[in-house]
Amino acid sequence: MTQRIRIKDIAQKAGVSPGTVDRVLHERGNVSAKARAKVKEALQSLDYSPNVLASILAYNKNWKIAALLPRDDHDQFWSQPKEGILNALKAVKDYGIIVDFFQFYENDLKDFHHQCNLILEGQYEAVIITPIFTEQSLSFLECLELNNTPFVQINTLLNTEFEHQICYIGQDSYHSGKLGAKLLAFGVEDGQKVMITHLEELVYNSQHLIDKEQGFKDFFSALPSKSIEVVTSHFANPYHQSGLRQFFKAQLEEHPEIKGIFVTTSRGFRVVKALDEIKRQDLKVVGFDLIDENVQLLIDEKIDFLINQNPYKQGYLAIINIFNFLIRKISPVSHQFLPLDVVMKENATYYSDRKIEEIPIVL
Amino acid sequence: MTQRIRIKDIAQKAGVSPGTVDRVLHERGNVSAKARAKVKEALQSLDYSPNVLASILAYNKNWKIAALLPRDDHDQFWSQPKEGILNALKAVKDYGIIVDFFQFYENDLKDFHHQCNLILEGQYEAVIITPIFTEQSLSFLECLELNNTPFVQINTLLNTEFEHQICYIGQDSYHSGKLGAKLLAFGVEDGQKVMITHLEELVYNSQHLIDKEQGFKDFFSALPSKSIEVVTSHFANPYHQSGLRQFFKAQLEEHPEIKGIFVTTSRGFRVVKALDEIKRQDLKVVGFDLIDENVQLLIDEKIDFLINQNPYKQGYLAIINIFNFLIRKISPVSHQFLPLDVVMKENATYYSDRKIEEIPIVL
DNA sequence: TAAAAATTTGTGTGCGCACACAGTATTTGG
DNA sequence: CCAAATACTGTGTGCGCACACAAATTTTTA
């Protein structure tokens, strides 16, 4: 029964009242130099650390947080950070943390802008943002800077210096591109080609896609053993299946040496579908994200590898970091790169089943 | 500012005193049927959930937990679950959780037995055990059953039914063997051979090694495209480097078709060293665990893949689950299989750097 | 039917901390 | 040198809950 040191114990040791200790701890001033010295010494020698439970209970304050994410009704990927946020919330709700969601249509700049304004009006104490539109996100973050509102970036990193940025949580996109290249290279011989495909509207307004492409290309240009050419392509509307089919047909006719495709978004399953339709099941496919359709194709051996971006964990950690920052006054590591999980048929279930991840919630 | 519902609110709504509500919540009896009904209804309609902070604070009780692990002064692997336990502890120490470590020499049955006895004498409220010796662990767990002491198994699973087992946390060894086989198969052609090597003294008293071997063999016997023979071997003393060299020399001379080696323990780096000494750098090597020596060889491209057993997380989750079980009265999922991480040169740093994992600590 | 016993209910205290306020010591200025 | 201003210090209350104990009510018994 190691007795924990309380403020009262410090006060006794220093020969002052608990109130004085409290003043020193919170730097509220109104403490004589002599008393402060005695208290500081007692704190040191008894190795005091506050009982956070009691502290929070006494604070009796709520913290409002805004979460700006794409809507998850069309794209299963975006339901995962949301789920992570909601689960982390279970862990910290007794600490007074409240989250409001602001979700925008993934291709709708105006909607994004609108949601940003709603957040600015709402007076939040911290913001979680998925800055998938580079320019618009930058101007929003500048507003937050002016408001002294701290924020966390998840999923996509805008690598600008901000005073009030708490941290970035997500993948190292550049290295995920490199890893994708390595995985694709397993099945590709000297002299053959590989293709990198972005299925996205505004590719070059999306930093993470640019970074993935760079990593992918750098891997192949640094390969000593084989010479493999990289074909770059993008297709704006991933929901237009017949267009997608035409697109791949044309690309593959132009480059018959292509043996593998790297899909930089979570739409790998659409690519496989298009390839199926044009009877090209022979190509290696490496994609991103464990959404149901992709995992099924992994099991069916139509996708070779998926790289997991840990979207669930991104949301979870965003809340935890905000909690640490706001309440525990702990400044976290500024760039938190989540693991680049290599998912294949043999280990897929251990990633897509999230039952374990929900357990570690500490109330 | 969503006002949280307190016991006081329930009492008011039900027209009774807070004491009565408390009695209903904790099923302490001494409540009339009428009062109980009113309280239960109020609890339902107001959707009460207790403020755990306040609850724990008022309990003012400590929980003693024993952790039985191999010593970590010879084997870096075992320092990781310990580290996980210590970090989880930071998260829950304010809830009154205290851990004592009992560490035994990894090859010393007597020492194991001795540590078990110390735990039994110590009156612990829960136990974390690494049951690497099957028989001896079973008899220890039976003692815990008699004492009504709940426990968590980590790392190795003894798949027996126990009444007081909280859960198992660790890898699915069988499937990790299968995964290892798949990874090794990338570099092996039809008609060639692969070897599985156990570097351990008491192989067949260690359930996880048996399971890995089975998974490994099952993969190759189910392979439709190629026919690859599996050579099974074990070497008792991993610290005897010259013996190890002799051992591999003999094995590889007997089976010159061997193109890859699967090492079922964390001693892959010793295998590579032995292979280096007999000038066989051409073999593919797949091993386990991100200990420094292994990671270095991964970066040097002398080990092709490592499978991460997440030992840190095992320790971390053990504490969290015990916390949930003892304090929050939540019975967790009985078998928590951690992901089978595929680690290679390109993503190694994202696994071996544990700075992020330490952040999510709540509290 | 009254007293004793058993059952049910309400009140008060403490967990460790944050913060308000009252109380005491020190400094300043006329 | 004394009052007023200022600087410092101690005490008390509440956060929501668990639990002990006192008070009130009902039931049992003679």
Side-chain angles (χ1 to χ4, degrees):
Chain A
M1 183 86 72
T2 340
Q3 208 51 49
R4 282 208 59 179
I5 305 297
R6 302 154 303 174
I7 284 183
K8 208 197 262 183
D9 302 314
I10 300 296
Q12 195 169 24
K13 170 114 184 182
V16 298
S17 74
T20 301
V21 178
D22 177 76
R23 255 159 259 147
V24 173
L25 284 173
H26 294 83
E27 289 169 353
R28 286 194 228 282
N30 292 327
V31 179
S32 66
K34 202 166 30 161
R36 175 180 287 108
K38 281 191 293 181
V39 169
K40 289 228 164 176
E41 199 202 300
L43 288 171
Q44 281 271 311
S45 70
L46 295 183
D47 190 26
Y48 173 78
S49 76
N51 182 324
V52 187
L53 268 65
S55 170
I56 300 289
L57 191 62
Y59 261 129
N60 197 30
K61 169 172 173 16
N62 281 341
W63 312 80
K64 266 176 70 188
I65 297 172
L68 178 64
L69 313 172
R71 297 173 64 106
D72 54 308
D73 40 9
H74 285 87
D75 192 337
Q76 195 204 339
F77 178 77
W78 295 112
S79 66
Q80 297 182 65
K82 188 174 182 183
E83 203 185 325
I85 289 173
L86 290 171
N87 269 329
L89 212 49
K90 288 188 202 160
V92 295
K93 70 164 191 256
D94 285 329
Y95 298 85
I97 297 232
I98 294 167
V99 174
D100 290 339
F101 285 95
F102 295 84
Q103 297 186 269
F104 55 90
Y105 285 99
E106 201 172 351
N107 292 312
D108 189 341
L109 275 172
K110 238 188 237 157
D111 190 23
F112 180 80
H113 193 68
H114 175 60
Q115 301 296 334
C116 288
N117 284 335
L118 288 178
I119 292 175
L120 291 173
E121 285 162 18
Q123 294 294 329
Y124 287 88
E125 319 227 25
V127 174
I128 299 170
I129 175 176
T130 320
I132 59 172
F133 303 121
T134 302
E135 284 177 44
Q136 294 70 19
S137 301
L138 281 173
S139 61
F140 175 56
L141 293 184
E142 270 154 27
C143 294
L144 293 180
E145 288 278 287
L146 287 176
N147 281 358
N148 295 324
T149 307
F151 58 88
V152 172
Q153 287 189 52
I154 64 172
N155 199 264
T156 303
L157 171 63
L158 302 182
N159 217 344
T160 313
E161 285 288 322
F162 289 106
E163 195 188 339
H164 294 96
Q165 174 159 331
I166 301 173
C167 62
Y168 163 71
I169 300 164
Q171 214 157 48
D172 181 337
S173 297
Y174 175 79
H175 281 101
S176 75
K178 266 202 162 169
L179 180 63
K182 161 91 167 230
L183 294 171
L184 205 52
F186 281 136
V188 180
E189 305 296 314
D190 190 40
Q192 299 180 331
K193 295 184 182 176
V194 293
M195 181 158 87
I196 175 170
T197 303
H198 305 292
L199 286 187
E200 193 71 70
E201 204 165 343
L202 301 156
V203 175
Y204 298 104
N205 191 21
S206 286
Q207 193 56 47
H208 65 295
L209 299 182
I210 297 170
D211 294 339
K212 282 175 186 171
E213 183 179 320
Q214 194 58 50
F216 188 80
K217 288 178 170 167
D218 284 358
F219 177 87
F220 283 107
S221 48
L223 246 196
S225 55
K226 339 181 195 179
S227 161
I228 294 170
E229 190 187 317
V230 174
V231 178
T232 307
S233 66
H234 65 264
F235 186 75
N237 187 350
Y239 303 104
H240 183 215
Q241 193 66 32
S242 69
L244 199 61
R245 188 172 61 225
Q246 295 300 321
F247 168 76
F248 278 111
K249 202 171 155 82
Q251 292 281 330
L252 293 172
E253 275 168 12
E254 189 182 340
H255 303 281
E257 310 89 345
I258 288 178
K259 295 296 165 191
I261 301 182
F262 179 53
V263 188
T264 58
T265 61
S266 61
R267 278 67 170 256
F269 65 98
R270 295 195 179 273
V271 173
V272 171
K273 196 174 168 207
L275 292 175
D276 263 2
E277 289 168 3
I278 58 171
K279 303 259 166 3
R280 287 299 302 266
Q281 285 100 337
D282 59 304
L283 295 168
K284 298 271 164 194
V285 177
V286 175
F288 278 89
D289 304 329
L290 298 176
I291 63 177
D292 293 344
E293 296 97 327
N294 282 346
V295 171
Q296 188 55 50
L297 291 171
L298 203 62
I299 290 166
D300 298 344
E301 300 187 303
K302 295 193 161 189
I303 291 180
D304 296 85
F305 296 98
L306 289 171
I307 297 173
N308 182 17
Q309 308 207 60
N310 283 295
Y312 173 88
K313 217 171 190 175
Q314 291 177 15
Y316 188 91
L317 289 178
I319 292 294
I320 300 298
N321 276 286
I322 288 177
F323 168 78
N324 281 335
F325 181 82
L326 289 181
I327 297 182
R328 303 176 66 200
K329 317 285 180 204
I330 295 172
S331 281
V333 177
S334 68
H335 289 72
Q336 298 182 34
F337 292 117
L338 298 181
L340 307 173
D341 295 330
V342 174
V343 187
M344 41 211 279
K345 185 187 175 188
E346 283 74 14
N347 64 351
T349 53
Y350 299 98
Y351 287 103
S352 49
D353 184 12
R354 207 166 303 106
K355 287 210 189 68
I356 302 167
E357 296 290 324
E358 291 177 16
I359 302 271
I361 286 167
V362 177
L363 232 273
Chain B
M1 182 87 72
T2 341
Q3 209 52 48
R4 282 208 60 178
I5 304 299
R6 302 155 302 172
I7 284 184
K8 210 196 260 183
D9 302 315
I10 300 295
Q12 195 169 24
K13 169 115 185 180
V16 298
S17 74
T20 301
V21 177
D22 177 76
R23 255 158 258 147
V24 173
L25 284 173
H26 293 82
E27 288 168 353
R28 286 194 228 282
N30 293 327
V31 178
S32 67
K34 204 167 23 162
R36 175 179 287 106
K38 280 190 295 183
V39 170
K40 290 227 163 178
E41 200 201 301
L43 288 172
Q44 283 270 313
S45 70
L46 294 183
D47 189 28
Y48 174 78
S49 74
N51 182 324
V52 186
L53 268 64
S55 169
I56 299 289
L57 191 63
Y59 261 129
N60 197 29
K61 168 169 171 23
N62 281 340
W63 313 80
K64 266 176 70 189
I65 296 173
L68 179 64
L69 313 172
R71 296 172 65 106
D72 55 307
D73 40 8
H74 284 86
D75 192 338
Q76 195 203 339
F77 179 77
W78 294 112
S79 66
Q80 298 181 64
K82 189 175 180 180
E83 203 185 326
I85 288 172
L86 290 171
N87 270 329
L89 212 50
K90 288 188 202 158
V92 294
K93 69 164 192 250
D94 285 329
Y95 296 87
I97 297 234
I98 295 167
V99 174
D100 288 340
F101 285 95
F102 296 84
Q103 297 188 267
F104 55 90
Y105 284 99
E106 202 173 351
N107 291 312
D108 189 340
L109 275 171
K110 239 188 235 159
D111 190 24
F112 180 80
H113 192 68
H114 175 60
Q115 301 296 335
C116 288
N117 284 336
L118 289 178
I119 292 176
L120 291 173
E121 285 162 18
Q123 294 294 329
Y124 287 88
E125 320 227 23
V127 174
I128 299 171
I129 174 175
T130 320
I132 58 172
F133 303 121
T134 301
E135 285 178 42
Q136 293 71 20
S137 301
L138 281 173
S139 60
F140 175 55
L141 293 183
E142 269 153 28
C143 294
L144 293 180
E145 287 279 286
L146 287 176
N147 281 359
N148 296 324
T149 307
F151 58 88
V152 172
Q153 287 188 54
I154 64 171
N155 198 262
T156 303
L157 172 62
L158 302 182
N159 217 342
T160 314
E161 284 288 323
F162 290 105
E163 195 188 339
H164 295 95
Q165 174 159 332
I166 301 173
C167 62
Y168 164 71
I169 299 164
Q171 215 157 45
D172 182 338
S173 297
Y174 175 80
H175 281 100
S176 75
K178 265 201 162 167
L179 180 64
K182 162 91 166 231
L183 295 171
L184 205 51
F186 280 135
V188 180
E189 304 297 316
D190 190 40
Q192 298 179 332
K193 295 184 183 177
V194 292
M195 183 159 85
I196 175 169
T197 302
H198 305 292
L199 286 185
E200 193 70 72
E201 204 167 344
L202 301 156
V203 175
Y204 298 105
N205 190 22
S206 285
Q207 193 58 45
H208 67 293
L209 298 182
I210 297 171
D211 294 340
K212 282 175 186 171
E213 183 178 319
Q214 194 60 48
F216 188 78
K217 288 177 170 168
D218 285 357
F219 177 87
F220 283 107
S221 47
L223 245 196
S225 54
K226 340 183 194 176
S227 162
I228 293 170
E229 189 187 317
V230 175
V231 178
T232 307
S233 66
H234 64 265
F235 186 76
N237 187 350
Y239 302 105
H240 183 214
Q241 192 66 31
S242 70
L244 198 61
R245 187 173 61 224
Q246 295 301 321
F247 168 76
F248 277 111
K249 200 172 157 83
Q251 292 279 330
L252 293 171
E253 276 169 10
E254 191 184 338
H255 303 281
E257 309 89 348
I258 289 177
K259 294 296 163 191
I261 301 182
F262 179 55
V263 187
T264 57
T265 60
S266 61
R267 277 68 169 257
F269 65 99
R270 294 193 180 274
V271 174
V272 170
K273 196 174 168 207
L275 292 175
D276 262 3
E277 287 166 3
I278 58 171
K279 304 258 169 3
R280 287 298 302 269
Q281 285 101 336
D282 58 304
L283 296 168
K284 298 271 166 195
V285 177
V286 174
F288 279 89
D289 305 326
L290 298 177
I291 62 177
D292 293 343
E293 296 97 327
N294 282 345
V295 172
Q296 188 55 51
L297 290 171
L298 204 61
I299 290 166
D300 297 345
E301 301 187 304
K302 295 193 161 186
I303 289 180
D304 296 85
F305 296 98
L306 289 171
I307 298 173
N308 182 16
Q309 308 207 58
N310 282 295
Y312 173 88
K313 218 171 190 176
Q314 291 178 16
Y316 188 91
L317 289 177
I319 292 295
I320 301 299
N321 276 285
I322 287 176
F323 167 78
N324 281 335
F325 180 82
L326 290 180
I327 297 182
R328 303 176 66 202
K329 317 286 180 203
I330 295 172
S331 282
V333 176
S334 68
H335 290 70
Q336 298 182 34
F337 292 116
L338 298 181
L340 306 173
D341 294 331
V342 174
V343 187
M344 42 210 281
K345 185 186 175 187
E346 283 73 14
N347 63 351
T349 53
Y350 301 97
Y351 288 104
S352 51
D353 186 11
R354 207 165 303 107
K355 287 210 191 69
I356 303 167
E357 296 289 324
E358 291 177 15
I359 303 273
I361 287 169
V362 178
L363 233 275

